[in-house]
Amino acid sequence: MELMYQSTRSKGKEVTASQAILKGLADDGGLFVPVSIPKLDVSLDAISKMSYQETAYEVMKLFFTDFTEEELKNCIERAYDSKFDTKEIAPLVEKSGAYYLELFHGATIAFKDMALSILPHLLTTSAKKNNIKNQIVILTATSGDTGKAALAGFADVEGTSIIVFYPKNGVSKIQERQMVTQKGANTSVVGITGNFDDAQSGVKAMFNNKELAKVMDEHGYQFSSANSINIGRLVPQVVYYVYSYTRLLASGAVKEGEPVNFVVPTGNFGNILAAFYAKNMGIPVGKLICASNENKVLFDFFETGVYDRNRDFILTSSPSMDILISSNLERLIFKIAGEDADATAAMMKALATDGKYTITPEMKEQMKDFIGGWASEEETAKEIKRVYDETGYVMDTHTAVASAVYHAYKEKTSDNTKTVIASTASPYKFGTSVMGAIDDKYKGMDDFALIDELCKTSGVAIPNAVEEIRKAPVLHDTVCETEDMQKTVEKILGL
Ligand SMILES: *Cc1c(COP(=O)(O)O)cnc(C)c1O
């Protein structure tokens, strides 16, 4: 039977998985959700004997029901291949009383590779299924990580091209080098003189420009987005929760039916929502612990039932979690509102106009699976050092936020449930903060200067992704004024 998708904001017409992937966002501005979350139809014991790719198929076939077996397997094979520097794709490492699920072995050494390496294939397959002949042009504004992960995912994927805008003076040195050295005849990277918000507004304006869409269509192009609210990014993230549970089962660390906790360093709420979906599919889960940095909107929300973005934006050492509007939370709101699209729409409207909304006590009751926690900058740095001193394991700042939250939770509750911590970036990506936490003598040195020190300290080989950018030539040097973003796109596409 076909699994259909509906918007979180109105009970309008339902669409197939491939249509939801192509559209990204519903016409009413809502997010696509499956009308029901499917249950796994093979035993966890059977999955525990499968590879990552086979597990991916078992999960995705239940969500993407309008893809044929061949189409889906083809997408999976192209995504989870030697771009990952480990055969396991997402290894589970036991350290200091927890299991770290390493989601950073892909092309850009951060967890967004888990979804962005398959999205291009899901998207081009969806286009074929829906008889779309135009070339898909991915337009993205990035504050750093997403841009590179999207570039790496779409590079040389037939039927697509990708244009990424980033704030010229607003990303880290490593992030910029990662982007401007990107290979692939279909990739373009453009620095803008404005900040991230300017880049995002410019991209949004192009998406909404009907005149431009018409000219694009005449030239055989159409825009699409690789945004984290696309269902084609959420579903591939469910896979590694199923995979990690079944690895614990395979090793005998848990018995069939024994729950585990998941701790997730959270920004846009996509990663932890995937864990919630895994639970709904039948993975035994105790607590879902949502870890925030000092931008602790979500912690406050789980405490009080009030989501309030009216506060200062704090720049932290875990920049991928510096977010005040967690877009994917809308899918949870919809679920705990009893799938009431009108109620969800009203709350999202309040968020847009007043910057806040309040959920009902009944809704709050439905969130009992979730526990919010947060770690300060100091606690995060201390956690990196604590785990390093105890075990020699070096983790990045985002993972450290989750690890610190878990450590405090365990001390407070004495909950001894086996726990998996989502490890979202390689320490090599945030060398300055990581090495500065381990020893004061490294404070202030830049990420590049610390690469070799990090290798000595962690005993982990320098990832290819880092080795490459040290030597790779700069291939993209276009810089434009914010107001010339559209002109730049027209020039790139030859309109
Ligand atoms: C994007 C990102 C996160 C946050 O994930 P969400 O799905 O947005 O909650 C955490 N850590 C790293 C390294 C990231 O790149």
Side-chain angles (χ1 to χ4, degrees):
M1 220 181 61
E2 199 89 281
L3 178 65
M4 301 298 284
Y5 289 77
Q6 70 177 95
S7 165
T8 49
R9 296 196 194 175
S10 64
K11 253 229 137 333
K13 81 172 202 312
E14 294 173 356
V15 300
T16 61
S18 64
Q19 287 164 342
I21 290 168
L22 278 171
K23 286 177 85 80
L25 206 62
D27 291 334
D28 58 17
L31 274 53
F32 285 115
V33 283
V35 294
S36 67
I37 298 174
K39 296 265 181 238
L40 288 165
D41 64 0
V42 283
S43 72
L44 294 177
D45 187 52
I47 300 177
S48 74
K49 298 180 180 75
M50 292 181 187
S51 66
Y52 190 89
Q53 293 81 353
E54 288 164 337
T55 308
Y57 177 69
E58 291 304 326
V59 172
M60 291 191 210
K61 74 171 192 198
L62 300 171
F63 282 98
F64 302 147
T65 54
D66 64 332
F67 284 61
T68 65
E69 176 171 349
E70 193 193 344
E71 285 169 341
L72 200 48
K73 285 190 169 163
N74 194 7
C75 292
I76 291 167
E77 266 156 38
R78 287 174 185 219
Y80 304 112
D81 62 5
S82 60
K83 287 194 284 302
F84 286 78
D85 66 15
T86 154
K87 233 179 117 138
E88 289 169 278
I89 309 294
L92 200 56
V93 178
E94 187 183 4
K95 294 285 173 194
S96 185
Y99 294 88
Y100 291 86
L101 175 61
E102 295 188 345
L103 303 174
F104 56 75
H105 289 277
T108 76
I109 57 175
F111 106 97
K112 290 186 179 64
D113 292 328
M114 301 304 296
L116 279 167
S117 51
I118 192 164
L119 181 71
H121 305 292
L122 295 173
L123 206 53
T124 48
T125 309
S126 297
K128 271 195 210 115
K129 301 181 79 62
N130 290 278
N131 288 319
I132 288 169
K133 301 276 186 298
N134 283 339
Q135 186 178 116
I136 308 263
V137 180
I138 300 292
L139 206 55
T140 302
T142 185
S143 55
D145 279 349
T146 307
K148 175 63 189 185
L151 283 162
F154 282 93
D156 289 329
V157 172
E158 217 179 297
T160 72
S161 56
I162 174 164
I163 306 171
V164 170
F165 289 97
Y166 73 97
K168 178 74 188 147
N169 297 314
V171 301
S172 81
K173 259 188 167 175
I174 290 224
Q175 286 173 327
E176 178 169 40
R177 266 204 83 83
Q178 276 191 315
M179 289 192 279
V180 298
T181 56
Q182 177 65 49
K183 294 183 202 133
N186 64 341
T187 65
S188 307
V189 179
V190 182
I192 67 157
T193 51
N195 61 25
F196 172 62
D197 282 336
D198 299 327
Q200 190 142 40
S201 307
V203 164
K204 267 197 188 147
M206 282 186 264
F207 273 121
N208 294 331
N209 186 335
K210 298 228 159 63
E211 193 55 38
L212 179 62
K214 200 168 145 251
V215 178
M216 296 259 303
D217 191 51
E218 284 161 12
H219 287 78
Y221 293 117
Q222 72 187 63
F223 284 136
S224 187
S225 113
N227 206 303
S228 90
I229 47 85
N230 194 310
I231 197 78
R233 277 185 64 181
L234 183 63
V235 171
Q237 294 176 359
V238 179
V239 174
Y240 47 76
Y241 289 105
V242 174
Y243 182 73
S244 62
Y245 185 84
T246 52
R247 279 334 90 169
L248 291 174
L249 203 55
S251 71
V254 299
K255 295 187 192 58
E256 182 124 27
E258 184 180 336
V260 300
N261 296 330
F262 287 110
V263 192
V264 186
T266 299
N268 228 341
F269 208 75
N271 199 0
I272 193 163
L273 186 74
F276 178 69
Y277 273 42
K279 176 179 174 143
N280 283 272
M281 292 188 87
I283 295 297
V285 176
K287 296 290 179 207
L288 293 168
I289 302 174
C290 174
S292 300
N293 64 22
E294 291 184 4
N295 294 293
K296 58 182 185 61
V297 196
L298 287 164
F299 169 78
D300 294 340
F301 172 67
F302 285 115
E303 289 287 293
T304 62
V306 181
Y307 192 97
D308 187 356
R309 65 150 299 181
N310 300 304
R311 59 182 78 205
D312 288 337
F313 179 87
I314 301 166
L315 289 171
T316 73
S317 58
S318 46
S320 302
M321 297 159 68
D322 290 344
I323 283 176
L324 293 180
I325 298 186
S326 300
S327 326
N328 263 301
L329 185 64
E330 181 169 343
R331 288 188 167 110
L332 179 66
I333 296 293
F334 176 74
K335 187 110 168 79
I336 61 175
E339 316 218 322
D340 182 338
D342 291 338
T344 309
M347 281 183 255
M348 293 308 129
K349 189 160 173 230
L351 180 63
T353 50
D354 312 329
K356 65 179 197 176
Y357 60 87
T358 305
I359 61 171
T360 64
E362 295 74 38
M363 288 171 72
K364 193 156 183 281
E365 185 61 24
Q366 303 260 329
M367 298 199 304
K368 275 196 310 219
D369 294 344
F370 288 90
I371 291 185
W374 70 286
S376 66
E377 286 292 276
E378 196 189 336
E379 287 162 340
T380 304
K382 271 197 178 145
E383 180 69 359
I384 292 174
K385 185 158 171 59
R386 181 187 74 80
V387 175
Y388 174 67
D389 286 347
E390 246 178 57
T391 69
Y393 188 60
V394 179
M395 66 179 79
D396 100 288
T397 46
H398 301 75
T399 309
V401 168
S403 191
V405 164
Y406 173 60
H407 194 61
Y409 165 81
K410 202 170 164 188
E411 302 248 288
K412 193 171 133 204
T413 61
S414 309
D415 178 357
N416 276 324
T417 309
K418 301 265 172 18
T419 296
V420 172
I421 297 174
S423 180
T424 52
S426 159
Y428 280 98
K429 203 149 186 180
F430 300 95
T432 303
S433 306
V434 169
M435 294 302 283
I438 288 174
D439 194 326
D440 279 345
K441 74 178 181 204
Y442 299 118
K443 285 217 164 100
M445 288 170 71
D446 88 24
D447 290 337
F448 279 102
L450 286 168
I451 290 172
D452 294 313
E453 287 299 322
L454 191 50
C455 181
K456 272 187 242 153
T457 304
S458 66
V460 173
I462 300 172
N464 265 342
V466 172
E467 207 53 274
E468 252 173 44
I469 57 168
R470 282 170 126 182
K471 298 174 275 194
V474 170
L475 301 173
H476 306 270
D477 58 3
T478 311
V479 178
C480 79
E481 301 288 327
T482 305
E483 50 282 9
D484 293 335
M485 284 171 64
Q486 184 173 327
K487 263 193 220 140
T488 308
V489 167
E490 287 166 356
K491 195 164 153 220
I492 289 168
L493 297 176
L495 304 182

